[in-house]
Amino acid sequence: MAQPAFDPGAFQPALRTRLLILQPTPFCNIDCSYCYLPGRDARSRMTPDTVRAVARRLLDDGLLGEELSVVWHAGEPLAAPPAFYEDAFGTLQQALGAHTALTHCIQTNATLIDEAWCELFLRHGVKIGVSIDGPAALHDRHRRTRSGRGTHQRVMQGVALLRRHGIPFHAIAVVTAATLQAADDFARFFIDLAPTELGLNFDEAEGANPTSSLAGLEGAHGDFLRALLPTMQAGHLVLRELAQALQLVAQPLPTYHWAGQDWPDNAQLLPFALLNVAWNGDFGTFSPELLGQPSPAHGNFVLGNVHRQGLFDAARGPAFAHLWQPIREGVARCRDSCAHFAYCGGGSPVNKLYEAGSLAATETLYCRTMLKRPFDVALQSLEQELGTSAPQ
Ligand code: SF4
């Protein structure tokens, strides 16, 4: 059956970029064992011209909505100096400030935070996320310096500085097999740390990290979530996956309409909802982790370069079609086969590719871990709550 061509005007509501993910530098000062990024030794840096070109492309294609979150990521963002961000924030504000409300977000390993960074975060209202895996015994297993030493102490020094300056931060922890055995220590640590929210990522099999330690441990992962849930119910900690699940139980995803079908709103599957731009201006869309991953079949998932072509121009070319067709097939299969489709919208292309070898795949360890199981744990707890609170 002929597949409909990409026509940005055919989406209802209109396509908008909500997350702009910019790679200030691919370099990272530490060397986590589960990192998926290739080329993290390279010290290249995004130039002001590239920042300006990204802004121009978004304007030219009418992709700006009322708000745009700019996430500085894909390397250690603080490996570029504060002056880089002063300049880049100013450039983006000048180019886009009259058209959209910009928010800047930095996800950092926190080892480089000092007074100058805290002043910059405060001056620009930057939202900070700290990558920390729990107490030192868990964190230092994987998050190490290039010479192999644990980074926990340095991260805590960075967190202490954030606190001293009154800068709120969320945390993202990578959950591995070892974390599942230490739910109580993990919960106690994060209750003390007091992030605004805790994201429970896991060591996904993707890119330079070919296997996940959670494979084969899904029962234990369910127990882990159930053990953490009371900390959230008691108001001690907001757990991102469980909070999102509770929200979804109350209200499934809003939908987009395209090609005669409703698409639950999943930003990893809607063209240009996420725009990912590498330090040199190469851009891609869909899962951010795809951009730059070695793939002869998909040209390393680079759709174009902001210095040479527009975003929608690139989407009319073969590289985009070659990517989007299997992604749509995967969504169609998810729609036909999965009871969670209205809450998920068809998953994450990068995980389908690296776990199942195809962008057109359906269920993955990723979707079971990040969506299905949290959803089922949250639903079960609500049912139990309703059961016990129902009149006798
Ligand atoms: S939960 Fe998994 S199988 Fe279900 S729609 Fe999402 S990606 Fe597809």
Side-chain angles (χ1 to χ4, degrees), residues 128-324:
I128 301 299
V130 171
S131 301
I132 181 166
D133 289 354
L138 289 173
H139 179 97
D140 286 343
R141 279 170 172 249
H142 301 282
R143 301 191 68 83
R144 297 189 176 185
T145 64
R146 286 166 177 269
S147 58
R149 288 205 306 277
T151 59
H152 196 265
Q153 195 184 354
R154 281 170 64 189
V155 176
M156 293 306 285
Q157 284 165 1
V159 166
L161 271 173
L162 293 176
R163 283 201 177 120
R164 201 174 311 146
H165 286 268
I167 299 169
F169 61 92
H170 70 263
I172 293 180
V174 175
V175 172
T176 63
T179 322
L180 303 183
Q181 308 299 318
D184 288 348
D185 288 351
F186 182 86
R188 263 194 302 276
F189 174 83
F190 280 108
I191 290 169
D192 285 349
L193 195 77
T196 52
E197 183 183 74
L198 172 62
L200 300 171
N201 287 4
F202 73 107
D203 56 334
E204 298 163 45
E206 66 190 16
N209 184 43
T211 53
S212 168
S213 67
L214 258 57
L217 295 177
E218 301 197 45
H221 180 249
D223 293 342
F224 176 74
L225 292 179
R226 277 184 285 276
L228 291 187
L229 185 62
T231 64
M232 192 164 93
Q233 289 166 325
H236 298 318
L237 206 50
V238 179
L239 297 158
R240 183 187 60 191
E241 283 64 36
L242 291 169
Q244 283 171 355
L246 286 167
Q247 219 172 347
L248 285 171
V249 170
Q251 193 170 25
L253 294 170
T255 52
Y256 267 71
H257 196 73
W258 182 77
Q261 275 184 322
D262 287 332
W263 291 47
D265 184 346
N266 175 331
Q268 290 196 52
L269 300 165
L270 278 167
F272 299 104
L274 305 180
L275 176 64
N276 316 310
V277 187
W279 68 272
N280 62 354
D282 285 349
F283 66 83
T285 185
F286 308 117
S287 303
E289 300 87 348
L290 285 173
L291 184 65
Q293 295 292 346
S295 169
H298 288 284
N300 296 357
F301 302 98
V302 175
L303 298 176
N305 187 290
V306 290
H307 294 290
R308 294 192 286 279
Q309 66 212 116
L311 307 171
F312 286 159
D313 269 359
R316 291 183 192 101
F320 180 87
H322 188 48
L323 191 55
W324 202 34

